[in-house]
Amino acid sequence: MQIYELIAPCHFGLEAVLKREIIDLGYDVSRVEDGRVYFKGDMEAVCRANVFLRTAERVLLLVGQFQAYSFDELFEKTKALDWGHFIPADGKCWVKKATSVKSKLYSVPDIQSIMKKAIVDKLRAAHGIEVVPETGAAYPLRVTLLKDTVTVALDTSGDSLHKRGYRGTFVKAPISETLAAALILLTPWKKDRVLVDPFCGSGTFPIEAAMMAANMAPGMNRNFQAEEWKNLIGRKLWYETINEANDLVESRVETDIQGYDIDPAAVRIARQGAERAGVDHLIHFQQRPVSQLSHPKAYGFLITNPPYGERIGDKEEVQQVYGDLGKRFAALDRWSAFVITSFEDTERCMGRKADKKRKIYNGMLKTTFYQFMGPKPPRKEV
């Protein structure tokens, strides 16, 4: 099979996590940039990356990369790309999203319209037709201009990969599935260790952890844009990838994953999401305030996304919440805590300095991932 350059965008600051995922999946990483990882793969890799990657936002198929300092140059260099190889005669191709940073060409509508015209001209010549009917499959493009370098890529995913299919359309969660998965992967947590989220909300952390514990591929229950691209990817590759994912599931794994929230509606939504994800038997959800957080086992993990203060409003109330979290964490026997928040007094409320801190954007909000490390459990005797 032909080898292509693929691009996996991710949250800024989490490129190393995604790089490790791609390597573990069996593909060679060619380079890493801010917010994206490039890797080599065939069309099977497109299927497997979409189905198996937990921390990528989407999987892009690179069509071309070039320098452009004028709209004439943008038109000619876009037209020079091998569009006939990627797009069939009846395919619908357009620039769905374009961004421009520190480039001479900055008008997004002009970039989109000029590139569209260039693509149509090339497809007419490549397929020997007068009119491109655009009645077939959709081939949306994502284009970035960074310091006058134009990156042109087909979006194989469609909906962002954070949309696993288990969250109801009416739920607005404060943390995405891909970010939650990446943060869990930044911790030493393993499926045989306790994990508690005392501010579980819609249940993202517990559900993502349970899917990891059961070795469930995050994309096994959703569709992808490239499934329509029969000129590039045969249906057999998609079937084989889903069969591979199904074969790897360990649904009978034993776990101790718990999610608490003071809001009964949030607990209900979390349970529904876990059921849709097929991991409800692996998670215990309960309505419980953080002031009642406790667990009889040692060496557990708190992984959580508490309120930041923007929604609660009252700073004293927020400090009370974090103060309760700190007190209950101190009472837990040799536990570790991992907290993502923009609340600046987190370390003081937790009663200690974090062992590690990592700056991460949660959406457009700049946050810190505080890592309070507990002792390692003793080695199990073989």
Side-chain angles (χ1 to χ4, degrees), residues 30-77:
S30 48
R31 68 184 190 271
V32 178
E33 297 178 352
D34 288 344
R36 53 178 51 199
V37 179
Y38 289 73
F39 64 105
K40 302 286 188 180
D42 54 17
M43 285 301 164
E44 182 183 62
V46 171
C47 302
R48 295 185 72 240
N50 272 297
V51 171
F52 286 103
L53 291 179
R54 299 184 187 278
T55 63
E57 292 302 308
R58 56 186 69 248
V59 178
L60 307 177
L61 173 59
L62 184 66
V63 177
Q65 203 165 45
F66 54 81
Q67 297 278 314
Y69 302 95
S70 68
F71 284 120
D72 286 342
E73 197 171 12
L74 177 67
F75 178 90
E76 294 300 334
K77 289 187 175 180

mmCIF file of all heavy atoms in Angstrom, residues 30-77:
data_model
loop_
_atom_site.group_PDB
_atom_site.id
_atom_site.type_symbol
_atom_site.label_atom_id
_atom_site.label_comp_id
_atom_site.label_asym_id
_atom_site.label_seq_id
_atom_site.Cartn_x
_atom_site.Cartn_y
_atom_site.Cartn_z
ATOM 1 N N SER A 30 7.170 11.261 12.254
ATOM 2 C CA SER A 30 8.142 11.977 11.433
ATOM 3 C C SER A 30 8.545 13.310 12.038
ATOM 4 O O SER A 30 9.694 13.729 11.922
ATOM 5 C CB SER A 30 7.601 12.175 10.008
ATOM 6 O OG SER A 30 6.281 12.674 10.031
ATOM 7 N N ARG A 31 7.602 13.999 12.696
ATOM 8 C CA ARG A 31 7.961 15.231 13.403
ATOM 9 C C ARG A 31 6.823 15.652 14.326
ATOM 10 O O ARG A 31 5.679 15.225 14.162
ATOM 11 C CB ARG A 31 8.323 16.360 12.436
ATOM 12 C CG ARG A 31 7.205 16.921 11.588
ATOM 13 C CD ARG A 31 7.794 17.961 10.629
ATOM 14 N NE ARG A 31 6.818 18.737 9.921
ATOM 15 C CZ ARG A 31 6.286 18.392 8.750
ATOM 16 N NH1 ARG A 31 6.610 17.244 8.191
ATOM 17 N NH2 ARG A 31 5.407 19.197 8.156
ATOM 18 N N VAL A 32 7.180 16.501 15.278
ATOM 19 C CA VAL A 32 6.207 16.996 16.253
ATOM 20 C C VAL A 32 6.242 18.515 16.241
ATOM 21 O O VAL A 32 7.311 19.123 16.304
ATOM 22 C CB VAL A 32 6.527 16.475 17.671
ATOM 23 C CG1 VAL A 32 5.538 17.047 18.684
ATOM 24 C CG2 VAL A 32 6.503 14.949 17.702
ATOM 25 N N GLU A 33 5.094 19.138 16.123
ATOM 26 C CA GLU A 33 4.960 20.587 16.184
ATOM 27 C C GLU A 33 3.984 20.933 17.304
ATOM 28 O O GLU A 33 3.346 20.054 17.879
ATOM 29 C CB GLU A 33 4.451 21.135 14.844
ATOM 30 C CG GLU A 33 5.402 20.890 13.680
ATOM 31 C CD GLU A 33 4.837 21.398 12.357
ATOM 32 O OE1 GLU A 33 3.645 21.806 12.341
ATOM 33 O OE2 GLU A 33 5.570 21.378 11.355
ATOM 34 N N ASP A 34 3.873 22.210 17.613
ATOM 35 C CA ASP A 34 2.918 22.640 18.642
ATOM 36 C C ASP A 34 1.502 22.233 18.242
ATOM 37 O O ASP A 34 0.978 22.656 17.209
ATOM 38 C CB ASP A 34 2.960 24.161 18.829
ATOM 39 C CG ASP A 34 4.222 24.612 19.539
ATOM 40 O OD1 ASP A 34 4.898 23.759 20.133
ATOM 41 O OD2 ASP A 34 4.527 25.819 19.489
ATOM 42 N N GLY A 35 0.893 21.369 19.043
ATOM 43 C CA GLY A 35 -0.489 20.998 18.805
ATOM 44 C C GLY A 35 -0.720 19.983 17.707
ATOM 45 O O GLY A 35 -1.874 19.733 17.344
ATOM 46 N N ARG A 36 0.338 19.337 17.189
ATOM 47 C CA ARG A 36 0.137 18.327 16.148
ATOM 48 C C ARG A 36 1.332 17.396 16.033
ATOM 49 O O ARG A 36 2.471 17.797 16.267
ATOM 50 C CB ARG A 36 -0.172 18.957 14.798
ATOM 51 C CG ARG A 36 0.809 20.001 14.301
ATOM 52 C CD ARG A 36 0.425 20.536 12.918
ATOM 53 N NE ARG A 36 -0.948 20.976 12.838
ATOM 54 C CZ ARG A 36 -1.626 21.140 11.697
ATOM 55 N NH1 ARG A 36 -1.035 20.908 10.543
ATOM 56 N NH2 ARG A 36 -2.873 21.535 11.708
ATOM 57 N N VAL A 37 1.043 16.154 15.677
ATOM 58 C CA VAL A 37 2.077 15.143 15.493
ATOM 59 C C VAL A 37 1.936 14.568 14.088
ATOM 60 O O VAL A 37 0.843 14.151 13.689
ATOM 61 C CB VAL A 37 1.958 14.011 16.539
ATOM 62 C CG1 VAL A 37 3.036 12.954 16.319
ATOM 63 C CG2 VAL A 37 2.044 14.578 17.956
ATOM 64 N N TYR A 38 3.029 14.555 13.324
ATOM 65 C CA TYR A 38 3.060 13.994 11.976
ATOM 66 C C TYR A 38 3.561 12.549 12.061
ATOM 67 O O TYR A 38 4.524 12.257 12.776
ATOM 68 C CB TYR A 38 4.004 14.779 11.084
ATOM 69 C CG TYR A 38 3.530 16.171 10.692
ATOM 70 C CD1 TYR A 38 3.527 17.219 11.607
ATOM 71 C CD2 TYR A 38 3.100 16.441 9.395
ATOM 72 C CE1 TYR A 38 3.104 18.492 11.253
ATOM 73 C CE2 TYR A 38 2.684 17.709 9.018
ATOM 74 C CZ TYR A 38 2.691 18.732 9.958
ATOM 75 O OH TYR A 38 2.275 19.993 9.592
ATOM 76 N N PHE A 39 2.934 11.662 11.298
ATOM 77 C CA PHE A 39 3.411 10.287 11.261
ATOM 78 C C PHE A 39 3.119 9.655 9.908
ATOM 79 O O PHE A 39 2.292 10.147 9.138
ATOM 80 C CB PHE A 39 2.802 9.455 12.395
ATOM 81 C CG PHE A 39 1.305 9.278 12.355
ATOM 82 C CD1 PHE A 39 0.740 8.068 11.963
ATOM 83 C CD2 PHE A 39 0.451 10.303 12.752
ATOM 84 C CE1 PHE A 39 -0.637 7.886 11.943
ATOM 85 C CE2 PHE A 39 -0.925 10.129 12.744
ATOM 86 C CZ PHE A 39 -1.470 8.916 12.339
ATOM 87 N N LYS A 40 3.816 8.559 9.619
ATOM 88 C CA LYS A 40 3.703 7.879 8.335
ATOM 89 C C LYS A 40 2.756 6.693 8.466
ATOM 90 O O LYS A 40 2.769 5.969 9.458
ATOM 91 C CB LYS A 40 5.070 7.362 7.876
ATOM 92 C CG LYS A 40 6.139 8.441 7.738
ATOM 93 C CD LYS A 40 5.924 9.297 6.517
ATOM 94 C CE LYS A 40 7.113 10.248 6.303
ATOM 95 N NZ LYS A 40 6.929 11.096 5.119
ATOM 96 N N GLY A 41 1.952 6.474 7.420
ATOM 97 C CA GLY A 41 1.067 5.322 7.450
ATOM 98 C C GLY A 41 0.305 5.140 6.150
ATOM 99 O O GLY A 41 0.185 6.069 5.346
ATOM 100 N N ASP A 42 -0.203 3.933 5.958
ATOM 101 C CA ASP A 42 -1.027 3.645 4.790
ATOM 102 C C ASP A 42 -2.497 3.883 5.132
ATOM 103 O O ASP A 42 -2.814 4.466 6.170
ATOM 104 C CB ASP A 42 -0.786 2.213 4.297
ATOM 105 C CG ASP A 42 -0.993 1.182 5.410
ATOM 106 O OD1 ASP A 42 -1.621 1.532 6.440
ATOM 107 O OD2 ASP A 42 -0.538 0.039 5.243
ATOM 108 N N MET A 43 -3.400 3.424 4.265
ATOM 109 C CA MET A 43 -4.817 3.654 4.519
ATOM 110 C C MET A 43 -5.330 2.846 5.706
ATOM 111 O O MET A 43 -6.283 3.243 6.375
ATOM 112 C CB MET A 43 -5.637 3.355 3.255
ATOM 113 C CG MET A 43 -5.497 4.436 2.202
ATOM 114 S SD MET A 43 -6.045 6.044 2.852
ATOM 115 C CE MET A 43 -5.330 7.164 1.640
ATOM 116 N N GLU A 44 -4.688 1.719 5.988
ATOM 117 C CA GLU A 44 -5.035 0.992 7.203
ATOM 118 C C GLU A 44 -4.720 1.842 8.432
ATOM 119 O O GLU A 44 -5.459 1.822 9.422
ATOM 120 C CB GLU A 44 -4.273 -0.328 7.271
ATOM 121 C CG GLU A 44 -4.626 -1.164 8.495
ATOM 122 C CD GLU A 44 -3.815 -2.429 8.600
ATOM 123 O OE1 GLU A 44 -2.570 -2.327 8.718
ATOM 124 O OE2 GLU A 44 -4.408 -3.528 8.562
ATOM 125 N N ALA A 45 -3.630 2.597 8.361
ATOM 126 C CA ALA A 45 -3.260 3.480 9.470
ATOM 127 C C ALA A 45 -4.313 4.561 9.689
ATOM 128 O O ALA A 45 -4.562 4.961 10.839
ATOM 129 C CB ALA A 45 -1.895 4.118 9.196
ATOM 130 N N VAL A 46 -4.931 5.031 8.611
ATOM 131 C CA VAL A 46 -6.008 6.017 8.749
ATOM 132 C C VAL A 46 -7.149 5.428 9.575
ATOM 133 O O VAL A 46 -7.666 6.062 10.504
ATOM 134 C CB VAL A 46 -6.521 6.466 7.366
ATOM 135 C CG1 VAL A 46 -7.779 7.326 7.501
ATOM 136 C CG2 VAL A 46 -5.437 7.235 6.608
ATOM 137 N N CYS A 47 -7.528 4.193 9.253
ATOM 138 C CA CYS A 47 -8.603 3.531 9.995
ATOM 139 C C CYS A 47 -8.205 3.316 11.450
ATOM 140 O O CYS A 47 -8.962 3.657 12.373
ATOM 141 C CB CYS A 47 -8.929 2.181 9.353
ATOM 142 S SG CYS A 47 -9.437 2.251 7.623
ATOM 143 N N ARG A 48 -7.024 2.741 11.675
ATOM 144 C CA ARG A 48 -6.613 2.368 13.022
ATOM 145 C C ARG A 48 -6.373 3.608 13.889
ATOM 146 O O ARG A 48 -6.686 3.607 15.085
ATOM 147 C CB ARG A 48 -5.365 1.492 12.966
ATOM 148 C CG ARG A 48 -5.614 0.151 12.281
ATOM 149 C CD ARG A 48 -4.417 -0.770 12.324
ATOM 150 N NE ARG A 48 -4.209 -1.292 13.676
ATOM 151 C CZ ARG A 48 -3.106 -1.111 14.383
ATOM 152 N NH1 ARG A 48 -2.118 -0.362 13.886
ATOM 153 N NH2 ARG A 48 -2.980 -1.628 15.594
ATOM 154 N N ALA A 49 -5.818 4.670 13.315
ATOM 155 C CA ALA A 49 -5.589 5.892 14.087
ATOM 156 C C ALA A 49 -6.910 6.502 14.541
ATOM 157 O O ALA A 49 -7.056 6.944 15.689
ATOM 158 C CB ALA A 49 -4.788 6.896 13.263
ATOM 159 N N ASN A 50 -7.901 6.523 13.655
ATOM 160 C CA ASN A 50 -9.209 7.064 14.020
ATOM 161 C C ASN A 50 -9.876 6.242 15.108
ATOM 162 O O ASN A 50 -10.504 6.789 16.028
ATOM 163 C CB ASN A 50 -10.119 7.117 12.786
ATOM 164 C CG ASN A 50 -9.977 8.402 11.995
ATOM 165 O OD1 ASN A 50 -10.265 9.477 12.495
ATOM 166 N ND2 ASN A 50 -9.513 8.302 10.762
ATOM 167 N N VAL A 51 -9.755 4.940 15.045
ATOM 168 C CA VAL A 51 -10.447 4.064 15.986
ATOM 169 C C VAL A 51 -9.717 3.974 17.329
ATOM 170 O O VAL A 51 -10.350 3.964 18.385
ATOM 171 C CB VAL A 51 -10.627 2.659 15.369
ATOM 172 C CG1 VAL A 51 -11.141 1.665 16.418
ATOM 173 C CG2 VAL A 51 -11.596 2.714 14.196
ATOM 174 N N PHE A 52 -8.365 3.950 17.307
ATOM 175 C CA PHE A 52 -7.617 3.617 18.517
ATOM 176 C C PHE A 52 -7.009 4.802 19.274
ATOM 177 O O PHE A 52 -6.774 4.692 20.476
ATOM 178 C CB PHE A 52 -6.492 2.630 18.189
ATOM 179 C CG PHE A 52 -6.978 1.234 17.913
ATOM 180 C CD1 PHE A 52 -7.063 0.759 16.614
ATOM 181 C CD2 PHE A 52 -7.372 0.397 18.944
ATOM 182 C CE1 PHE A 52 -7.517 -0.524 16.355
ATOM 183 C CE2 PHE A 52 -7.825 -0.884 18.702
ATOM 184 C CZ PHE A 52 -7.902 -1.353 17.390
ATOM 185 N N LEU A 53 -6.724 5.916 18.626
ATOM 186 C CA LEU A 53 -6.050 7.008 19.321
ATOM 187 C C LEU A 53 -7.001 7.686 20.310
ATOM 188 O O LEU A 53 -8.087 8.126 19.940
ATOM 189 C CB LEU A 53 -5.502 8.036 18.330
ATOM 190 C CG LEU A 53 -4.335 7.565 17.456
ATOM 191 C CD1 LEU A 53 -3.899 8.680 16.507
ATOM 192 C CD2 LEU A 53 -3.148 7.106 18.304
ATOM 193 N N ARG A 54 -6.565 7.804 21.553
ATOM 194 C CA ARG A 54 -7.395 8.394 22.603
ATOM 195 C C ARG A 54 -7.202 9.902 22.740
ATOM 196 O O ARG A 54 -8.075 10.592 23.256
ATOM 197 C CB ARG A 54 -7.087 7.726 23.951
ATOM 198 C CG ARG A 54 -7.370 6.243 23.982
ATOM 199 C CD ARG A 54 -7.141 5.644 25.365
ATOM 200 N NE ARG A 54 -7.252 4.194 25.316
ATOM 201 C CZ ARG A 54 -8.396 3.522 25.344
ATOM 202 N NH1 ARG A 54 -9.539 4.198 25.439
ATOM 203 N NH2 ARG A 54 -8.423 2.203 25.274
ATOM 204 N N THR A 55 -6.049 10.416 22.329
ATOM 205 C CA THR A 55 -5.715 11.810 22.637
ATOM 206 C C THR A 55 -5.665 12.706 21.406
ATOM 207 O O THR A 55 -5.459 13.910 21.551
ATOM 208 C CB THR A 55 -4.373 11.881 23.383
ATOM 209 O OG1 THR A 55 -3.332 11.380 22.548
ATOM 210 C CG2 THR A 55 -4.417 11.053 24.654
ATOM 211 N N ALA A 56 -5.842 12.163 20.206
ATOM 212 C CA ALA A 56 -5.867 12.976 18.991
ATOM 213 C C ALA A 56 -7.242 13.608 18.815
ATOM 214 O O ALA A 56 -8.268 13.009 19.145
ATOM 215 C CB ALA A 56 -5.525 12.123 17.776
ATOM 216 N N GLU A 57 -7.258 14.827 18.290
ATOM 217 C CA GLU A 57 -8.526 15.503 18.020
ATOM 218 C C GLU A 57 -9.140 15.054 16.700
ATOM 219 O O GLU A 57 -10.352 15.056 16.538
ATOM 220 C CB GLU A 57 -8.320 17.018 18.001
ATOM 221 C CG GLU A 57 -7.969 17.608 19.352
ATOM 222 C CD GLU A 57 -9.028 17.325 20.400
ATOM 223 O OE1 GLU A 57 -10.223 17.598 20.156
ATOM 224 O OE2 GLU A 57 -8.680 16.813 21.472
ATOM 225 N N ARG A 58 -8.301 14.679 15.766
ATOM 226 C CA ARG A 58 -8.749 14.155 14.479
ATOM 227 C C ARG A 58 -7.539 13.576 13.747
ATOM 228 O O ARG A 58 -6.402 13.724 14.218
ATOM 229 C CB ARG A 58 -9.469 15.216 13.633
ATOM 230 C CG ARG A 58 -8.695 16.465 13.350
ATOM 231 C CD ARG A 58 -9.561 17.505 12.639
ATOM 232 N NE ARG A 58 -10.612 18.055 13.492
ATOM 233 C CZ ARG A 58 -11.915 17.842 13.304
ATOM 234 N NH1 ARG A 58 -12.338 17.100 12.287
ATOM 235 N NH2 ARG A 58 -12.807 18.368 14.119
ATOM 236 N N VAL A 59 -7.761 12.928 12.619
ATOM 237 C CA VAL A 59 -6.671 12.389 11.797
ATOM 238 C C VAL A 59 -6.773 13.029 10.420
ATOM 239 O O VAL A 59 -7.798 12.908 9.742
ATOM 240 C CB VAL A 59 -6.743 10.854 11.687
ATOM 241 C CG1 VAL A 59 -5.618 10.333 10.787
ATOM 242 C CG2 VAL A 59 -6.654 10.214 13.067
ATOM 243 N N LEU A 60 -5.718 13.718 10.026
ATOM 244 C CA LEU A 60 -5.681 14.426 8.749
ATOM 245 C C LEU A 60 -4.739 13.715 7.780
ATOM 246 O O LEU A 60 -3.691 13.204 8.183
ATOM 247 C CB LEU A 60 -5.218 15.870 8.945
ATOM 248 C CG LEU A 60 -5.981 16.703 9.983
ATOM 249 C CD1 LEU A 60 -5.360 18.088 10.121
ATOM 250 C CD2 LEU A 60 -7.452 16.820 9.614
ATOM 251 N N LEU A 61 -5.126 13.704 6.515
ATOM 252 C CA LEU A 61 -4.313 13.119 5.450
ATOM 253 C C LEU A 61 -3.679 14.260 4.660
ATOM 254 O O LEU A 61 -4.377 15.042 4.007
ATOM 255 C CB LEU A 61 -5.198 12.259 4.547
ATOM 256 C CG LEU A 61 -4.596 11.673 3.273
ATOM 257 C CD1 LEU A 61 -3.400 10.790 3.593
ATOM 258 C CD2 LEU A 61 -5.652 10.893 2.500
ATOM 259 N N LEU A 62 -2.357 14.375 4.755
ATOM 260 C CA LEU A 62 -1.659 15.493 4.120
ATOM 261 C C LEU A 62 -1.721 15.380 2.599
ATOM 262 O O LEU A 62 -1.320 14.372 2.019
ATOM 263 C CB LEU A 62 -0.198 15.523 4.571
ATOM 264 C CG LEU A 62 0.637 16.703 4.060
ATOM 265 C CD1 LEU A 62 0.140 18.021 4.652
ATOM 266 C CD2 LEU A 62 2.116 16.504 4.401
ATOM 267 N N VAL A 63 -2.229 16.427 1.955
ATOM 268 C CA VAL A 63 -2.253 16.505 0.491
ATOM 269 C C VAL A 63 -1.018 17.224 -0.015
ATOM 270 O O VAL A 63 -0.421 16.843 -1.020
ATOM 271 C CB VAL A 63 -3.533 17.216 0.005
ATOM 272 C CG1 VAL A 63 -3.532 17.354 -1.515
ATOM 273 C CG2 VAL A 63 -4.771 16.463 0.472
ATOM 274 N N GLY A 64 -0.601 18.279 0.679
ATOM 275 C CA GLY A 64 0.587 19.015 0.262
ATOM 276 C C GLY A 64 0.931 20.128 1.226
ATOM 277 O O GLY A 64 0.115 20.543 2.062
ATOM 278 N N GLN A 65 2.167 20.602 1.095
ATOM 279 C CA GLN A 65 2.670 21.693 1.941
ATOM 280 C C GLN A 65 3.581 22.554 1.078
ATOM 281 O O GLN A 65 4.453 22.039 0.373
ATOM 282 C CB GLN A 65 3.423 21.115 3.144
ATOM 283 C CG GLN A 65 3.516 22.037 4.338
ATOM 284 C CD GLN A 65 3.948 21.280 5.589
ATOM 285 O OE1 GLN A 65 4.871 20.472 5.556
ATOM 286 N NE2 GLN A 65 3.293 21.540 6.710
ATOM 287 N N PHE A 66 3.371 23.876 1.123
ATOM 288 C CA PHE A 66 4.156 24.765 0.270
ATOM 289 C C PHE A 66 4.157 26.178 0.853
ATOM 290 O O PHE A 66 3.387 26.495 1.757
ATOM 291 C CB PHE A 66 3.586 24.778 -1.156
ATOM 292 C CG PHE A 66 2.118 25.103 -1.242
ATOM 293 C CD1 PHE A 66 1.660 26.413 -1.195
ATOM 294 C CD2 PHE A 66 1.174 24.083 -1.354
ATOM 295 C CE1 PHE A 66 0.310 26.720 -1.270
ATOM 296 C CE2 PHE A 66 -0.185 24.369 -1.424
ATOM 297 C CZ PHE A 66 -0.618 25.693 -1.380
ATOM 298 N N GLN A 67 5.026 27.023 0.307
ATOM 299 C CA GLN A 67 5.086 28.434 0.686
ATOM 300 C C GLN A 67 4.213 29.254 -0.270
ATOM 301 O O GLN A 67 4.212 29.005 -1.484
ATOM 302 C CB GLN A 67 6.530 28.948 0.597
ATOM 303 C CG GLN A 67 7.498 28.254 1.550
ATOM 304 C CD GLN A 67 7.434 28.827 2.949
ATOM 305 O OE1 GLN A 67 7.434 30.035 3.129
ATOM 306 N NE2 GLN A 67 7.387 27.955 3.940
ATOM 307 N N ALA A 68 3.494 30.220 0.271
ATOM 308 C CA ALA A 68 2.686 31.115 -0.565
ATOM 309 C C ALA A 68 2.691 32.511 0.043
ATOM 310 O O ALA A 68 2.353 32.677 1.209
ATOM 311 C CB ALA A 68 1.261 30.590 -0.693
ATOM 312 N N TYR A 69 3.074 33.498 -0.787
ATOM 313 C CA TYR A 69 3.161 34.882 -0.321
ATOM 314 C C TYR A 69 2.139 35.781 -1.011
ATOM 315 O O TYR A 69 2.020 36.957 -0.680
ATOM 316 C CB TYR A 69 4.566 35.432 -0.563
ATOM 317 C CG TYR A 69 5.643 34.606 0.109
ATOM 318 C CD1 TYR A 69 6.321 33.607 -0.592
ATOM 319 C CD2 TYR A 69 5.975 34.798 1.446
ATOM 320 C CE1 TYR A 69 7.302 32.836 0.018
ATOM 321 C CE2 TYR A 69 6.956 34.037 2.066
ATOM 322 C CZ TYR A 69 7.613 33.061 1.345
ATOM 323 O OH TYR A 69 8.581 32.289 1.957
ATOM 324 N N SER A 70 1.412 35.221 -1.985
ATOM 325 C CA SER A 70 0.378 35.979 -2.696
ATOM 326 C C SER A 70 -0.762 35.029 -3.026
ATOM 327 O O SER A 70 -0.597 33.805 -3.030
ATOM 328 C CB SER A 70 0.934 36.595 -3.984
ATOM 329 O OG SER A 70 1.234 35.570 -4.931
ATOM 330 N N PHE A 71 -1.921 35.615 -3.356
ATOM 331 C CA PHE A 71 -3.059 34.767 -3.702
ATOM 332 C C PHE A 71 -2.844 34.061 -5.042
ATOM 333 O O PHE A 71 -3.325 32.945 -5.236
ATOM 334 C CB PHE A 71 -4.355 35.592 -3.708
ATOM 335 C CG PHE A 71 -4.862 35.902 -2.330
ATOM 336 C CD1 PHE A 71 -5.011 37.208 -1.899
ATOM 337 C CD2 PHE A 71 -5.188 34.875 -1.450
ATOM 338 C CE1 PHE A 71 -5.480 37.484 -0.619
ATOM 339 C CE2 PHE A 71 -5.659 35.141 -0.166
ATOM 340 C CZ PHE A 71 -5.802 36.454 0.248
ATOM 341 N N ASP A 72 -2.129 34.699 -5.969
ATOM 342 C CA ASP A 72 -1.794 34.013 -7.227
ATOM 343 C C ASP A 72 -0.943 32.778 -6.957
ATOM 344 O O ASP A 72 -1.163 31.707 -7.540
ATOM 345 C CB ASP A 72 -1.027 34.967 -8.156
ATOM 346 C CG ASP A 72 -1.930 36.018 -8.779
ATOM 347 O OD1 ASP A 72 -3.166 35.817 -8.771
ATOM 348 O OD2 ASP A 72 -1.404 37.050 -9.257
ATOM 349 N N GLU A 73 0.023 32.920 -6.049
ATOM 350 C CA GLU A 73 0.881 31.791 -5.705
ATOM 351 C C GLU A 73 0.073 30.705 -4.989
ATOM 352 O O GLU A 73 0.273 29.503 -5.229
ATOM 353 C CB GLU A 73 2.026 32.281 -4.815
ATOM 354 C CG GLU A 73 3.187 31.312 -4.721
ATOM 355 C CD GLU A 73 4.388 31.920 -4.012
ATOM 356 O OE1 GLU A 73 4.254 33.004 -3.394
ATOM 357 O OE2 GLU A 73 5.463 31.303 -4.077
ATOM 358 N N LEU A 74 -0.847 31.117 -4.140
ATOM 359 C CA LEU A 74 -1.706 30.154 -3.445
ATOM 360 C C LEU A 74 -2.525 29.363 -4.459
ATOM 361 O O LEU A 74 -2.649 28.131 -4.344
ATOM 362 C CB LEU A 74 -2.633 30.882 -2.474
ATOM 363 C CG LEU A 74 -3.640 30.012 -1.713
ATOM 364 C CD1 LEU A 74 -2.926 29.069 -0.740
ATOM 365 C CD2 LEU A 74 -4.657 30.883 -0.965
ATOM 366 N N PHE A 75 -3.061 30.052 -5.461
ATOM 367 C CA PHE A 75 -3.878 29.388 -6.487
ATOM 368 C C PHE A 75 -3.042 28.383 -7.274
ATOM 369 O O PHE A 75 -3.427 27.216 -7.427
ATOM 370 C CB PHE A 75 -4.479 30.428 -7.435
ATOM 371 C CG PHE A 75 -5.302 29.829 -8.546
ATOM 372 C CD1 PHE A 75 -6.661 29.609 -8.365
ATOM 373 C CD2 PHE A 75 -4.728 29.478 -9.763
ATOM 374 C CE1 PHE A 75 -7.425 29.044 -9.384
ATOM 375 C CE2 PHE A 75 -5.482 28.919 -10.775
ATOM 376 C CZ PHE A 75 -6.833 28.699 -10.589
ATOM 377 N N GLU A 76 -1.903 28.803 -7.784
ATOM 378 C CA GLU A 76 -1.090 27.946 -8.652
ATOM 379 C C GLU A 76 -0.537 26.739 -7.896
ATOM 380 O O GLU A 76 -0.518 25.617 -8.423
ATOM 381 C CB GLU A 76 0.051 28.745 -9.282
ATOM 382 C CG GLU A 76 -0.401 29.832 -10.255
ATOM 383 C CD GLU A 76 -1.189 29.283 -11.438
ATOM 384 O OE1 GLU A 76 -0.980 28.101 -11.795
ATOM 385 O OE2 GLU A 76 -2.027 30.022 -11.986
ATOM 386 N N LYS A 77 -0.089 26.949 -6.673
ATOM 387 C CA LYS A 77 0.499 25.838 -5.923
ATOM 388 C C LYS A 77 -0.570 24.880 -5.404
ATOM 389 O O LYS A 77 -0.311 23.674 -5.264
ATOM 390 C CB LYS A 77 1.368 26.372 -4.787
ATOM 391 C CG LYS A 77 2.652 27.016 -5.300
ATOM 392 C CD LYS A 77 3.600 27.410 -4.180
ATOM 393 C CE LYS A 77 4.917 27.940 -4.731
ATOM 394 N NZ LYS A 77 5.865 28.343 -3.671
#
